[in-house]
Amino acid sequence: IFDEVRIGNILKRLKPDILVQGNEHTPEEIVAIDGISQSVQIELFPMVRDFSTTRVVREVLNNINSL
């Protein structure tokens, strides 16, 4: 969906107040890995087995393209 794997550069442009991420990393790891500003509130969400937001978006895009 995005050209970049890491979200740090995307967030620098969007400047959100809150970032919700899956709980596979701690907030400290997310800040370190993605270079996110410490002013962004990071909320962790439990991972849902067999559910991928990326997959849902791809399915939507495929359905739109097939119209």
Side-chain angles (χ1 to χ4, degrees):
I1 297 169
F2 296 105
D3 295 333
E4 300 180 41
V5 175
R6 295 272 147 274
I7 61 170
N9 290 333
I10 295 167
L11 295 178
K12 286 177 188 170
R13 288 182 269 166
L14 295 176
K15 299 178 182 169
D17 294 319
I18 301 171
L19 170 65
V20 178
Q21 287 260 146
N23 64 351
E24 69 269 26
H25 297 290
T26 66
E28 295 79 17
E29 290 171 327
I30 294 167
V31 168
I33 292 168
D34 292 313
I36 296 169
S37 167
Q38 292 189 2
S39 66
V40 175
Q41 178 182 337
I42 298 175
E43 295 292 333
L44 300 181
F45 194 83
M47 300 296 287
V48 178
R49 185 176 173 183
D50 298 325
F51 182 80
S52 163
T53 305
T54 302
R55 188 180 78 221
V56 170
V57 172
R58 283 187 183 139
E59 288 178 16
V60 169
L61 292 173
N62 286 338
N63 287 332
I64 289 172
N65 292 333
S66 67
L67 293 177

